[in-house]
Amino acid sequence: MVMTPELAKAMAQLTIELRRPIGVLLTRRGQVQDVIVGTELTLSSTTLTLFRTGTRSLRGLRFIRTQLHDQPISQEVLTDLAFLRLDLIGLLSVTEDGQLGNLYLAHLLAPNSTGQLFKVLKAVPFHNLTLMFDQFIEELEADLQQARAHYAIESGKESAILVSASVKSRSEQEERLAELAELATSADVTVVDRVVQRTPDGHQRYLLGRGKMKDVLIQTLHRGADMVIFDQTLSPAQLRAISEMTDIKVIDRTQLILDIFARRAHSREGKVQVELAQLRYLLPRLSGKGTQLSRLGGGIGTRGPGETKLETDRRRVRDRITHLERELTQFGRQQDQRRSRRDRHGLPVVSLVGYTNAGKSTLLNVLTNSHVSAQNRLFETLDTTSRRLRFPEDREVIITDTVGFIRDLPQELVGAFRTTLEELREADLLLHVVDGSAADIDIQITAVVAILEDLHLNAIPRLVVLNKCDQVSPARAELLCRRYGAIGLSALQPTTLRPLFAQLEAYVRSLPVGERQIAGLPLQDDALVLASRR
């Protein structure tokens, strides 16, 4: 049964004496886990620890609360049912003389085509209740298991709801969420929904309000999503507050980018840089729950300063960061040696820079007949790649491909990848590759230029290359080339690369034989006049 008559009568008696509702959380064995006085349903930290749940499982607890007025289940109670993933929730009416009245029950439903999240049962007098809880919960779990298996067959990978909460306009936020969706896809995450919320600047504990945050988490459960991804970077306090509110995985844009980098890093240097960035992001967000992180104290042999587990973790992270920084310094020395050898051969360097997924690696492959991975996804290339490009008269240049940029590039990544980005300082010419088909092309160009300025690379001559012109109309391609003074081409159509090849050849021919151009000197006028040669 849902609860024993003896327990129901005891709750009714206390309700009359206290004139306040009494609620009990019962385990599936019928044991009382928590007693709650009042209408607010808040689980204790012990209960949350013992009865954790996921996006597609129940918590294993049912909640029954008394009420002095015979009223049906409210939307607020149903929200608690969905948010806490309870097996069952009920309201038991108590008359003025302490007698048991009607019992209102509701339970969650397995994901279904109607989109219905829960079912409210018809109210019945407590003594007429015929619902057998053991059989009921067994059938409900079977439905959830079947729905879970169906979902796994359809998707086979993690899913997420994307959230943007800022003072920016809805159109700006939707534009950013479109890019966040591309990042999620690049991390093999299926996007099931997007939420946009305009909020005042920087006062929200959960970034969203508590009520809106609950709605998002319920929607996550309703859609069968595994996580919530925020477009904004969550502060340590916000991340801690949200993690205390739910068992669902919650990450931000920076964490998503770091995860993508961790997947794509292949070289030892790349792996070290990614791990360093992850640890720098993690350090201020380390937190602990429960008594396992409390200081030693009380009793003989336990007095003294001691050290919490949290402090131990932080110390280990700091030690690991120091070790990785030393390793990166060693990589920097090796790069200096490689650059010195290259300088002795007198080979000019042309570096490809640009927004992620603008087509830099594809362009490198076509120019140098290489086979660098160039899939159509964000941050496909992390490791620096250098190839030779030979011109007539035995003239050569080194073409270097580096990690792509993105707006609001996490500072953890900028710091960790500084050794890689230092490679750009040795470039004689920067080829700024732009995705001509991008809807936010101005924002992408501005983001790349801003990062180059932050790295003090804006003094190096720069040539703008408008890639993917085959994906826009000829008129628009011509307009964009005139606007940005760019060379229009499609890296997938080698015949369109002739103007670029001619400009690079003219640039190499302008250099004295056996000497490199000093970085920072302007190119000759004929190398800068791009649109007029088309």
Side-chain angles (χ1 to χ4, degrees):
M1 58 180 62
V2 175
M3 68 186 305
T4 63
E6 293 78 14
L7 178 58
K9 290 178 182 178
M11 292 173 60
Q13 173 113 21
L14 286 172
T15 300
I16 294 300
E17 292 177 1
L18 299 176
R19 305 302 298 176
R20 299 195 63 185
I22 302 293
V24 292
L25 275 170
L26 301 175
T27 67
R28 290 189 178 175
R29 293 184 177 182
Q31 298 172 333
V32 177
Q33 175 65 30
D34 277 342
V35 177
I36 299 173
V37 180
T39 58
E40 185 176 352
L41 175 53
T42 304
L43 302 188
S44 66
S45 58
T46 302
T47 299
L48 286 172
T49 301
L50 292 176
F51 297 88
R52 300 188 71 83
T53 185
T55 57
R56 303 184 197 100
S57 62
L58 298 176
R59 194 175 291 275
L61 294 171
R62 58 189 184 273
F63 179 67
I64 309 297
R65 193 190 75 204
T66 60
Q67 58 177 358
L68 291 168
H69 304 284
D70 190 26
Q71 295 178 338
I73 295 177
S74 66
Q75 185 60 45
E76 182 180 358
V77 175
L78 293 175
T79 299
D80 287 335
L81 168 68
F83 176 66
L84 296 172
R85 302 292 288 175
L86 299 175
D87 294 350
L88 189 73
I89 201 164
L91 296 181
L92 176 60
S93 301
V94 179
T95 63
E96 287 295 331
D97 57 358
Q99 298 299 312
L100 301 177
N102 289 329
L103 179 61
Y104 298 85
L105 295 174
H107 65 85
L108 293 175
L109 291 174
N112 54 78
S113 58
T114 63
Q116 189 175 356
L117 185 57
F118 38 69
K119 180 178 181 180
V120 179
L121 304 181
K122 184 178 179 180
V124 296
F126 178 81
H127 294 296
N128 295 343
L129 182 65
T130 58
L131 178 67
M132 302 304 296
F133 180 76
D134 291 342
Q135 181 181 351
F136 155 78
I137 198 64
E138 185 178 339
E139 293 174 353
L140 181 57
E141 286 285 11
D143 291 342
L144 289 170
Q145 290 286 348
Q146 185 177 357
R148 189 181 308 134
H150 175 69
Y151 178 84
I153 291 173
E154 284 189 338
S155 176
K157 53 186 179 181
E158 288 185 301
S159 58
I161 288 181
L162 309 183
V163 178
S164 175
S166 75
V167 297
K168 296 181 179 179
S169 67
R170 185 178 183 86
S171 60
E172 288 180 280
Q173 292 188 68
E174 288 178 345
E175 185 179 275
R176 289 182 61 92
L177 281 185
E179 181 175 87
L180 187 64
E182 289 187 54
L183 286 169
T185 301
S186 188
D188 292 329
V189 174
T190 301
V191 177
V192 297
D193 201 2
R194 306 180 189 184
V195 176
V196 174
Q197 178 80 7
R198 292 196 69 183
T199 58
D201 190 18
H203 80 287
Q204 298 288 358
R205 184 185 181 192
Y206 305 98
L207 195 60
L208 298 165
R210 180 179 177 84
K212 186 64 176 178
M213 189 69 229
K214 267 192 174 184
D215 291 342
V216 170
L217 295 174
I218 290 174
Q219 186 68 9
T220 305
L221 300 168
H222 180 53
R223 300 298 296 270
D226 299 290
M227 69 181 82
V228 177
I229 304 177
F230 278 88
D231 182 55
Q232 290 72 30
T233 299
L234 296 173
S235 69
Q238 288 171 336
L239 194 60
R240 185 159 49 250
I242 296 174
S243 66
E244 292 172 352
M245 190 178 186
T246 180
D247 295 327
I248 296 172
K249 186 193 301 182
V250 177
I251 66 174
D252 58 21
R253 182 174 180 270
T254 300
Q255 279 180 285
L256 181 61
I257 293 176
L258 289 173
D259 182 78
I260 294 172
F261 273 50
R263 290 166 180 253
R264 305 283 159 72
H266 299 297
S267 68
R268 174 59 186 165
E269 182 178 354
K271 291 178 180 179
V272 168
Q273 291 174 132
V274 172
E275 184 183 355
L276 180 58
Q278 289 177 318
L279 291 177
R280 284 175 174 169
Y281 176 85
L282 174 65
L283 183 58
R285 291 166 175 81
L286 280 177
S287 62
K289 295 181 182 179
T291 57
Q292 72 273 18
L293 298 186
S294 61
R295 284 185 176 274
L296 297 174
I300 296 175
T302 62
R303 294 184 177 89
E307 184 177 36
T308 67
K309 182 178 182 299
L310 178 58
E311 289 167 340
T312 303
D313 291 340
R314 285 175 174 163
R315 176 167 49 79
R316 288 174 177 170
V317 169
R318 292 191 186 100
D319 290 345
R320 181 62 179 168
I321 287 175
T322 302
H323 172 75
L324 294 175
E325 286 175 340
R326 283 199 297 264
E327 205 166 340
L328 278 184
T329 301
Q330 182 61 33
F331 286 133
R333 295 195 189 100
Q334 294 172 3
Q335 281 190 357
D336 290 340
Q337 293 172 1
R338 289 195 297 268
R339 283 195 289 265
S340 297
R341 289 195 297 268
R342 194 164 59 205
D343 289 343
R344 286 197 297 270
H345 288 86
L347 294 179
V349 178
V350 176
S351 290
L352 301 175
V353 298
Y355 213 77
T356 179
N357 204 33
K360 300 184 297 300
S361 297
T362 304
L363 184 59
L364 174 72
N365 287 338
V366 176
L367 286 174
T368 63
N369 195 26
S370 302
H371 301 283
V372 176
S373 179
Q375 296 187 45
N376 183 23
R377 57 184 183 181
L378 304 187
F379 294 118
E380 173 62 17
T381 302
L382 295 185
D383 300 319
T384 301
T385 305
S386 298
R387 298 289 186 270
R388 289 195 181 195
L389 173 60
R390 183 182 293 274
F391 294 101
E393 303 177 6
D394 290 331
R395 294 291 186 98
E396 290 182 337
V397 296
I398 293 178
I399 305 291
T400 301
D401 183 22
T402 57
V403 61
F405 298 152
I406 196 169
R407 73 182 88 180
D408 302 328
L409 187 67
Q411 287 302 312
E412 293 84 3
L413 286 176
V414 174
F417 277 76
R418 189 164 295 278
T419 304
T420 295
L421 297 175
E422 286 289 335
E423 188 82 13
L424 298 176
R425 297 189 184 279
E426 303 302 316
D428 300 294
L429 174 68
L430 298 179
L431 282 188
H432 181 179
V433 183
V434 179
D435 181 358
S437 65
D440 55 346
I441 185 171
D442 290 325
I443 295 176
Q444 292 191 9
I445 291 177
T446 301
V448 172
V449 172
I451 293 173
L452 292 176
E453 290 177 352
D454 289 343
L455 296 171
H456 305 292
L457 300 173
N458 49 320
I460 300 176
R462 192 160 62 241
L463 204 60
V464 180
V465 176
L466 192 71
N467 191 23
K468 304 184 183 180
C469 285
D470 57 324
Q471 299 182 22
V472 297
S473 65
R476 176 165 176 76
E478 185 67 29
L479 175 65
L480 292 174
C481 286
R482 287 200 304 268
R483 180 189 301 174
Y484 301 113
I487 298 177
L489 54 85
S490 170
L492 297 177
Q493 299 177 355
T495 56
T496 65
L497 271 63
R498 291 171 182 168
L500 173 62
F501 195 84
Q503 290 293 338
L504 290 176
E505 188 177 11
Y507 162 68
V508 174
R509 194 182 299 117
S510 69
L511 297 176
V513 178
E515 297 181 13
R516 295 181 59 194
Q517 183 187 30
I518 300 175
L521 291 181
L523 293 175
Q524 292 184 354
D525 292 343
D526 61 345
L528 290 175
V529 182
L530 308 176
S532 62
R533 287 207 170 197
R534 290 184 52 78

